[in-house]
Amino acid sequence: MEEKKRTPALALLLIVVAVVLLFAGGYLFERSSAAGDPPPSSEAKTVEEMLAPGNSAETAPVYMDGRWYHKKPEVEAYLLMGIDRTGEAEAIDGYIGGGQADLLLLLVVDHQAASYRVLQINRDTMAEVEILGVRGDVVGTEIEQIALAHGYGDGMESSCENTVRAVSRLLYGSEIDGYAALQMDAVPLLNDAIGGVTVTVEDDFSAVDPTLLQGETLRLQGEQALHFVRARHYVDDDSNLSRMRRQRTYLSAFAAQLERALAEESELLLTLYEDVQPYMVTDISGKAMSRLAQRCRGYTNGGILTLEGEARMGEEFIEYLPDEDSLKATVLQLFYTEAENESSGG
């Protein structure tokens, strides 16, 4: 396990632009343990029961793998989205075609533990997604790739809110306090603003961008950066798992380069924020960002979590089926704490 390191408080001041600072000093992967048998107590709630009508996950203890858990008292969660649309963030006519959320990162801050973690969610994850009608109202739900949740809506707030609901539902109703979505066209802008990002190209990009030479270490410039984090088809095994790995590699390298750039130009974050505003949709106010940054000064970076699961070819597209035990354990890890002196009798 890699050593956990601290990052500057400014990392949380600009949720989207500087979210990559969360990965400074490397990233770590953690796999969740399997669930145990449910307890005999009628007062406890298993993970499956947390969403049952009339049950309150706020007050009832949760039992898993022989242990009892209570909800953490001081947790904030923010959903960060990378939207596969070109140009600036603009509303579309109607409520379908708002662009897919190809990158989904859930930032979870635990104030009591003075730490934060990031859950990277596979865009192919099969989840219950709300379908919006022509008036923007919910007309039903479908089990489909979670990235499609953003496609229902006007590409702005309604699309983001629909994605937030889908992610919350996937995570057993866990509360999400805010969101920020960034059009992928902002990647070259951010990349070049800090002088480019150096990575080692592990995949074969010859069919997409021949300047990305497999096996070479190079400083990405302009569209190279976008291709590196966005390309999926005709690269490696065409799977999103491969692209997620590249995104983590890029974010870690971006963080290191951004820190170097900040050492030379202290106001760079504010400049970047202004530059990407036309490409961004968020419900997180500047005041809220500032408050979070101040409160989180010196917090420990807990690294990146991913959900175990199986990627398979569906009728039309690749489907990622999250492992239920991994999903349950991850929710408990992020939003719950082990109860002390809890008896099996409730």
Side-chain angles (χ1 to χ4, degrees):
M1 181 177 295
E2 298 180 26
E3 180 183 2
K4 298 174 182 178
K5 299 186 179 181
R6 298 182 185 275
T7 55
L10 284 175
L12 293 170
L13 179 60
L14 300 173
I15 297 296
V16 174
V17 177
V19 67
V20 290
L21 280 180
L22 299 172
F23 315 128
Y27 48 82
L28 71 110
F29 301 90
E30 296 194 9
R31 299 301 186 184
S32 302
S33 60
D37 295 329
S41 171
S42 60
E43 295 182 14
K45 296 290 185 291
T46 62
V47 181
E48 292 91 339
E49 293 173 323
M50 286 196 289
L51 294 183
N55 287 340
S56 172
E58 297 288 341
T59 58
V62 173
Y63 186 91
M64 181 177 176
D65 199 22
R67 293 184 174 88
W68 296 81
Y69 299 86
H70 288 291
K71 195 166 186 180
K72 292 179 181 179
E74 294 186 88
V75 171
E76 292 183 64
Y78 296 92
L79 183 63
L80 314 174
M81 296 166 270
I83 309 304
D84 189 16
R85 289 179 66 193
T86 58
E88 299 180 356
E90 296 179 345
I92 63 171
D93 293 330
Y95 281 89
I96 189 169
Q100 300 180 15
D102 272 359
L103 177 67
L104 291 166
L105 303 173
L106 186 69
L107 168 65
V108 181
V109 182
D110 184 347
H111 293 293
Q112 189 173 61
S115 65
Y116 52 85
R117 317 192 76 150
V118 172
L119 174 63
Q120 185 181 25
I121 300 172
N122 192 327
R123 55 94 62 214
D124 293 336
T125 298
M126 300 302 288
E128 186 178 0
V129 173
E130 292 181 353
I131 310 301
L132 304 186
V134 294
R135 296 184 178 84
D137 54 327
V138 178
V139 296
T141 63
E142 293 286 346
I143 302 298
E144 54 189 18
Q145 293 171 329
I146 199 166
L148 300 179
H150 192 275
Y152 299 106
D154 61 358
M156 303 293 281
E157 287 80 5
S158 63
S159 292
C160 291
E161 291 165 1
N162 200 42
T163 307
V164 166
R165 291 194 295 270
V167 171
S168 175
R169 187 179 293 107
L170 173 70
L171 301 179
Y172 296 102
S174 299
E175 183 177 354
I176 297 176
D177 299 282
Y179 64 79
L182 194 66
Q183 306 278 108
M184 287 300 232
D185 271 3
V187 172
L189 185 155
L190 294 173
N191 181 88
D192 293 357
I194 63 172
V197 174
T198 300
V199 299
T200 297
V201 181
E202 299 180 2
D203 301 321
D204 182 3
F205 279 86
S206 57
V208 176
D209 187 341
T211 68
L212 297 177
L213 300 177
Q214 187 175 17
E216 292 198 2
T217 298
L218 52 87
R219 177 164 292 193
L220 302 176
Q221 299 290 341
E223 294 298 306
Q224 286 181 321
L226 183 58
H227 294 159
F228 187 82
V229 300
R230 187 182 189 184
R232 173 176 179 176
H233 300 296
Y234 310 111
V235 178
D236 195 62
D237 59 1
D238 285 3
S239 76
N240 193 53
L241 295 175
S242 175
R243 179 168 60 177
M244 288 171 67
R245 169 180 51 79
R246 277 187 273 115
Q247 289 169 344
R248 291 190 294 264
T249 296
Y250 179 83
L251 290 172
S252 181
F254 186 107
Q257 177 61 22
L258 179 56
E259 287 189 308
R260 288 190 287 269
L262 283 172
E264 299 177 1
E265 185 181 347
S266 60
E267 299 298 316
L268 178 60
L269 282 180
L270 295 178
T271 301
L272 292 177
Y273 184 65
E274 292 176 356
D275 288 344
V276 301
Q277 273 192 317
Y279 301 90
M280 183 170 60
V281 180
T282 181
D283 68 347
I284 309 169
S285 68
K287 182 178 180 180
M289 288 184 186
S290 179
R291 175 194 58 78
L292 186 63
Q294 290 298 320
R295 190 175 183 187
C296 295
R297 187 179 300 276
Y299 277 23
T300 299
N301 172 10
I304 302 177
L305 293 173
T306 57
L307 296 174
E308 292 184 354
E310 175 190 2
R312 69 182 188 187
M313 188 64 198
E315 293 183 3
E316 296 184 69
F317 308 104
I318 293 178
E319 302 175 350
Y320 188 75
L321 306 179
D323 178 80
E324 287 296 329
D325 289 339
S326 176
L327 180 56
K328 296 169 190 174
T330 299
V331 170
L332 291 177
Q333 186 175 7
L334 292 174
F335 296 98
Y336 288 80
T337 184
E338 187 173 350
E340 296 181 1
N341 302 320
E342 189 78 54
S343 67
S344 60

